[in-house]
Amino acid sequence: MSTNTVIHRIVRPAVRAVAPTGVTPNHITTLRLATGMAAAAAFAVGGPLWPAIGGAIFVLSMLLDRADGELARQTGQSSPGGYWYDIISDCASNVMAMIGIGIGLQEVLGLWGPLLGLVAGVGIGTLFWQLFGLRLAQPRGWEPSPGIIIDPDDALILVPILVWIGAAVPMIAAAAVVTPLAALWLGLRGSRPDLAP
């Protein structure tokens, strides 16, 4: 993954300001996990207001996701334990968000809402394990123009945007299809060298 994405650049000035205060990367990771849980809880309440609030909290959580690693690099506090705490917190936050969105959609989709949220969450969790635990692939950033780098997980910014514009139902349905298929493809590719690009 890149360390110079658009989101990294957004959080960099705030991280520079926090660096001399004694706040550690693990403090920020813990805050990332707490905001991820809060976003999931807000999504799960459903209705018109709470998912919008959950989307705002999710954006904050994404910014904190980038800030912890940025702080670790700026202050020389990188460690294997911190890396894994970050990865597990990121994965848990994203999985919980999908499940929360699905639960919140129960009033619209009935039991299909939580089921789709669960399938999307399991798909995301599986992808995280494949990428970071099994290291079946190295996620690479996309550079649409010089100096603008977007990592694959930056696409999660679409989650709150789609919730805000009222497209949570097609988003959770698509996530419930795409994430398991991506995990299946990555698993097959990782287990069969002849499928590698």
Side-chain angles (χ1 to χ4, degrees), residues 123-148:
I124 287 173
T126 303
L127 282 169
F128 262 80
W129 173 247
Q130 290 171 319
L131 292 171
F132 300 104
L134 300 176
R135 299 188 188 271
L136 295 181
Q138 177 62 45
R140 286 182 240 140
W142 173 56
E143 194 167 0
S145 66
I148 308 263

Short mmCIF file of all heavy atoms in Angstrom, two decimals, residues 123-148:
data_model
loop_
_atom_site.label_atom_id
_atom_site.label_comp_id
_atom_site.label_asym_id
_atom_site.label_seq_id
_atom_site.Cartn_x
_atom_site.Cartn_y
_atom_site.Cartn_z
N GLY A 123 -17.10 -11.06 3.38
CA GLY A 123 -16.28 -10.89 2.18
C GLY A 123 -15.11 -9.94 2.43
O GLY A 123 -13.96 -10.23 2.05
N ILE A 124 -15.39 -8.82 3.08
CA ILE A 124 -14.32 -7.85 3.39
C ILE A 124 -13.32 -8.47 4.36
O ILE A 124 -12.10 -8.34 4.18
CB ILE A 124 -14.92 -6.55 3.96
CG1 ILE A 124 -15.61 -5.78 2.83
CG2 ILE A 124 -13.86 -5.70 4.64
CD1 ILE A 124 -16.39 -4.57 3.29
N GLY A 125 -13.81 -9.15 5.38
CA GLY A 125 -12.90 -9.78 6.33
C GLY A 125 -12.01 -10.82 5.67
O GLY A 125 -10.81 -10.91 5.96
N THR A 126 -12.59 -11.59 4.76
CA THR A 126 -11.82 -12.60 4.03
C THR A 126 -10.75 -11.95 3.16
O THR A 126 -9.60 -12.40 3.12
CB THR A 126 -12.76 -13.48 3.18
OG1 THR A 126 -13.73 -14.08 4.04
CG2 THR A 126 -11.98 -14.56 2.44
N LEU A 127 -11.13 -10.87 2.47
CA LEU A 127 -10.15 -10.16 1.64
C LEU A 127 -9.00 -9.62 2.48
O LEU A 127 -7.83 -9.72 2.10
CB LEU A 127 -10.82 -9.03 0.87
CG LEU A 127 -11.62 -9.43 -0.36
CD1 LEU A 127 -12.45 -8.26 -0.87
CD2 LEU A 127 -10.69 -9.95 -1.45
N PHE A 128 -9.31 -9.03 3.64
CA PHE A 128 -8.25 -8.52 4.52
C PHE A 128 -7.31 -9.66 4.92
O PHE A 128 -6.09 -9.49 4.90
CB PHE A 128 -8.85 -7.86 5.76
CG PHE A 128 -8.95 -6.37 5.69
CD1 PHE A 128 -9.97 -5.76 4.99
CD2 PHE A 128 -8.01 -5.57 6.32
CE1 PHE A 128 -10.07 -4.38 4.92
CE2 PHE A 128 -8.09 -4.20 6.26
CZ PHE A 128 -9.12 -3.59 5.55
N TRP A 129 -7.88 -10.80 5.31
CA TRP A 129 -7.04 -11.92 5.72
C TRP A 129 -6.17 -12.40 4.56
O TRP A 129 -4.97 -12.68 4.73
CB TRP A 129 -7.90 -13.07 6.25
CG TRP A 129 -7.09 -14.30 6.52
CD1 TRP A 129 -7.16 -15.48 5.88
CD2 TRP A 129 -6.06 -14.44 7.50
NE1 TRP A 129 -6.23 -16.36 6.39
CE2 TRP A 129 -5.54 -15.75 7.39
CE3 TRP A 129 -5.50 -13.60 8.46
CZ2 TRP A 129 -4.51 -16.24 8.20
CZ3 TRP A 129 -4.47 -14.08 9.27
CH2 TRP A 129 -4.00 -15.38 9.13
N GLN A 130 -6.75 -12.48 3.37
CA GLN A 130 -5.98 -12.92 2.21
C GLN A 130 -4.84 -11.96 1.88
O GLN A 130 -3.74 -12.38 1.54
CB GLN A 130 -6.89 -13.08 0.99
CG GLN A 130 -7.85 -14.24 1.10
CD GLN A 130 -8.88 -14.24 -0.01
OE1 GLN A 130 -9.39 -13.20 -0.39
NE2 GLN A 130 -9.17 -15.42 -0.54
N LEU A 131 -5.13 -10.66 1.96
CA LEU A 131 -4.14 -9.66 1.59
C LEU A 131 -3.06 -9.47 2.65
O LEU A 131 -1.88 -9.36 2.34
CB LEU A 131 -4.81 -8.31 1.31
CG LEU A 131 -5.70 -8.26 0.07
CD1 LEU A 131 -6.47 -6.96 0.03
CD2 LEU A 131 -4.88 -8.45 -1.19
N PHE A 132 -3.47 -9.44 3.92
CA PHE A 132 -2.51 -9.09 4.96
C PHE A 132 -2.05 -10.27 5.80
O PHE A 132 -0.94 -10.27 6.31
CB PHE A 132 -3.10 -7.99 5.85
CG PHE A 132 -3.41 -6.74 5.08
CD1 PHE A 132 -4.72 -6.42 4.75
CD2 PHE A 132 -2.40 -5.91 4.65
CE1 PHE A 132 -5.01 -5.28 4.02
CE2 PHE A 132 -2.68 -4.78 3.91
CZ PHE A 132 -3.98 -4.46 3.59
N GLY A 133 -2.89 -11.29 5.96
CA GLY A 133 -2.49 -12.47 6.71
C GLY A 133 -1.77 -13.47 5.84
O GLY A 133 -0.65 -13.88 6.15
N LEU A 134 -2.40 -13.83 4.73
CA LEU A 134 -1.80 -14.82 3.83
C LEU A 134 -0.89 -14.18 2.79
O LEU A 134 -0.13 -14.87 2.13
CB LEU A 134 -2.91 -15.60 3.12
CG LEU A 134 -3.86 -16.39 4.02
CD1 LEU A 134 -4.96 -17.03 3.19
CD2 LEU A 134 -3.10 -17.44 4.82
N ARG A 135 -1.03 -12.87 2.61
CA ARG A 135 -0.23 -12.11 1.62
C ARG A 135 -0.32 -12.72 0.22
O ARG A 135 0.69 -12.93 -0.46
CB ARG A 135 1.21 -11.98 2.07
CG ARG A 135 1.34 -11.22 3.37
CD ARG A 135 2.79 -10.93 3.69
NE ARG A 135 2.94 -10.38 5.02
CZ ARG A 135 2.88 -9.09 5.30
NH1 ARG A 135 2.69 -8.21 4.36
NH2 ARG A 135 3.04 -8.66 6.54
N LEU A 136 -1.56 -13.00 -0.20
CA LEU A 136 -1.78 -13.58 -1.53
C LEU A 136 -1.58 -12.56 -2.64
O LEU A 136 -1.41 -12.93 -3.80
CB LEU A 136 -3.19 -14.17 -1.63
CG LEU A 136 -3.49 -15.35 -0.72
CD1 LEU A 136 -4.91 -15.85 -0.96
CD2 LEU A 136 -2.48 -16.47 -0.92
N ALA A 137 -1.62 -11.29 -2.30
CA ALA A 137 -1.42 -10.24 -3.30
C ALA A 137 -0.94 -8.98 -2.58
O ALA A 137 -1.13 -8.84 -1.37
CB ALA A 137 -2.70 -9.94 -4.06
N GLN A 138 -0.33 -8.11 -3.31
CA GLN A 138 0.11 -6.82 -2.77
C GLN A 138 -0.80 -5.74 -3.33
O GLN A 138 -0.75 -5.46 -4.53
CB GLN A 138 1.57 -6.54 -3.15
CG GLN A 138 2.08 -5.20 -2.70
CD GLN A 138 2.07 -5.04 -1.19
OE1 GLN A 138 2.47 -5.92 -0.46
NE2 GLN A 138 1.60 -3.90 -0.72
N PRO A 139 -1.67 -5.15 -2.49
CA PRO A 139 -2.54 -4.09 -3.00
C PRO A 139 -1.70 -2.92 -3.51
O PRO A 139 -0.74 -2.51 -2.84
CB PRO A 139 -3.37 -3.67 -1.79
CG PRO A 139 -3.13 -4.69 -0.74
CD PRO A 139 -1.86 -5.39 -1.07
N ARG A 140 -2.02 -2.43 -4.68
CA ARG A 140 -1.27 -1.33 -5.28
C ARG A 140 -2.17 -0.12 -5.47
O ARG A 140 -3.35 -0.24 -5.76
CB ARG A 140 -0.71 -1.73 -6.63
CG ARG A 140 0.47 -2.67 -6.50
CD ARG A 140 1.02 -3.02 -7.86
NE ARG A 140 0.89 -4.47 -7.97
CZ ARG A 140 0.53 -5.09 -9.05
NH1 ARG A 140 0.28 -4.45 -10.15
NH2 ARG A 140 0.42 -6.40 -9.06
N GLY A 141 -1.57 1.04 -5.31
CA GLY A 141 -2.30 2.28 -5.53
C GLY A 141 -2.51 2.54 -7.01
O GLY A 141 -1.81 2.01 -7.87
N TRP A 142 -3.49 3.36 -7.30
CA TRP A 142 -3.81 3.77 -8.66
C TRP A 142 -3.47 5.24 -8.76
O TRP A 142 -3.81 6.03 -7.88
CB TRP A 142 -5.29 3.51 -8.92
CG TRP A 142 -5.82 4.03 -10.21
CD1 TRP A 142 -5.37 3.75 -11.46
CD2 TRP A 142 -6.91 4.92 -10.38
NE1 TRP A 142 -6.12 4.41 -12.40
CE2 TRP A 142 -7.09 5.14 -11.74
CE3 TRP A 142 -7.78 5.56 -9.49
CZ2 TRP A 142 -8.07 5.97 -12.26
CZ3 TRP A 142 -8.77 6.38 -10.00
CH2 TRP A 142 -8.90 6.58 -11.38
N GLU A 143 -2.80 5.64 -9.82
CA GLU A 143 -2.40 7.03 -10.00
C GLU A 143 -3.12 7.60 -11.22
O GLU A 143 -2.62 7.54 -12.34
CB GLU A 143 -0.87 7.12 -10.18
CG GLU A 143 -0.34 8.51 -10.03
CD GLU A 143 1.18 8.54 -9.89
OE1 GLU A 143 1.83 7.47 -9.92
OE2 GLU A 143 1.71 9.64 -9.75
N PRO A 144 -4.35 8.17 -11.00
CA PRO A 144 -5.11 8.69 -12.13
C PRO A 144 -4.44 9.89 -12.80
O PRO A 144 -4.66 10.15 -13.97
CB PRO A 144 -6.46 9.08 -11.52
CG PRO A 144 -6.19 9.24 -10.07
CD PRO A 144 -5.04 8.35 -9.74
N SER A 145 -3.64 10.63 -12.04
CA SER A 145 -2.83 11.71 -12.60
C SER A 145 -1.59 11.85 -11.74
O SER A 145 -1.58 11.39 -10.59
CB SER A 145 -3.63 13.02 -12.66
OG SER A 145 -3.92 13.49 -11.38
N PRO A 146 -0.53 12.44 -12.27
CA PRO A 146 0.73 12.51 -11.52
C PRO A 146 0.54 13.12 -10.12
O PRO A 146 -0.06 14.17 -9.96
CB PRO A 146 1.61 13.41 -12.39
CG PRO A 146 1.06 13.24 -13.78
CD PRO A 146 -0.42 13.05 -13.59
N GLY A 147 1.04 12.38 -9.12
CA GLY A 147 0.98 12.86 -7.75
C GLY A 147 -0.32 12.55 -7.02
O GLY A 147 -0.43 12.75 -5.82
N ILE A 148 -1.32 12.03 -7.71
CA ILE A 148 -2.60 11.67 -7.08
C ILE A 148 -2.64 10.15 -7.01
O ILE A 148 -2.81 9.48 -8.03
CB ILE A 148 -3.80 12.19 -7.89
CG1 ILE A 148 -3.66 13.65 -8.18
CG2 ILE A 148 -5.10 11.80 -7.21
CD1 ILE A 148 -4.37 14.59 -7.28
#
